[in-house]
Amino acid sequence: MEILKIDKNQGLALFIQRVLVGFLLLFHGIANFTSGYAFIKSVFAGYGLPEFFAYGAFIGEIVAPLLIIAGYRTRLAALVLVFNILVATLLAHAGDIFALNQFGGWAVELQAFYLFGGLAVFFSGAGALAFSKNNYWD
């Protein structure tokens, strides 16, 4: 049936993926920004690390998602996002990696979504619907 035929649109699919990963992580970034990174500072302090490292979350949770959404230096921004999520998971959720939540789901499924979503954006690149498409990091 010709009416059920849907053409593949890889550019649109990559755009949706970029916007989804970037937009959802941006909410976390804004929440951390408005709190002055208090929770993140306390996590770093608990490990004996300098609290100013918490401001790296600004780059990983606000700047990188905005670049990913726009499609500008998308692969570089995705690497920053992945590094940010790895650090956050290892510092704040290490005890949950092999645990289930109260509903039977993986306790770090949200972190896994951002991690693997960021990796998918890194490996796929920005796609056709991006601000910049000609740079190695796009």
Side-chain angles (χ1 to χ4, degrees):
M1 293 177 103
E2 194 64 32
I3 196 136
L4 295 177
K5 183 180 177 204
I6 299 174
D7 290 334
K8 294 180 184 177
N9 190 336
Q10 186 177 10
L12 181 59
L14 294 174
F15 174 74
I16 292 169
Q17 180 182 22
R18 281 192 353 251
V19 170
L20 178 67
V21 171
F23 189 67
L24 292 177
L25 187 58
L26 192 58
F27 280 113
H28 291 279
I30 292 169
N32 283 325
F33 180 78
T34 58
S35 73
Y37 299 98
F39 174 73
I40 300 172
K41 286 178 182 177
S42 70
V43 171
F44 277 112
Y47 282 97
L49 298 168
E51 289 184 4
F52 73 85
F53 283 176
Y55 293 105
F58 176 80
I59 303 294
E61 295 180 350
I62 293 181
V63 175
L66 287 173
L67 291 173
I68 289 170
I69 291 167
Y72 185 79
R73 304 302 184 258
T74 306
R75 290 179 179 206
L76 182 61
L79 275 181
V80 171
L81 182 148
V82 167
F83 177 77
N84 183 73
I85 294 300
L86 277 174
V87 170
T89 303
L90 293 174
L91 292 180
H93 303 284
D96 298 331
I97 292 174
F98 298 106
L100 299 177
N101 63 23
Q102 69 269 27
F103 305 109
W106 193 19
V108 292
E109 63 189 16
L110 183 62
Q111 293 80 6
F113 167 77
Y114 292 129
L115 176 71
F116 293 108
L119 283 173
V121 170
F122 172 75
F123 287 115
S124 65
L129 301 174
F131 183 72
S132 177
K133 298 175 266 203
N134 298 324
N135 188 282
Y136 176 78
W137 290 105
D138 292 327

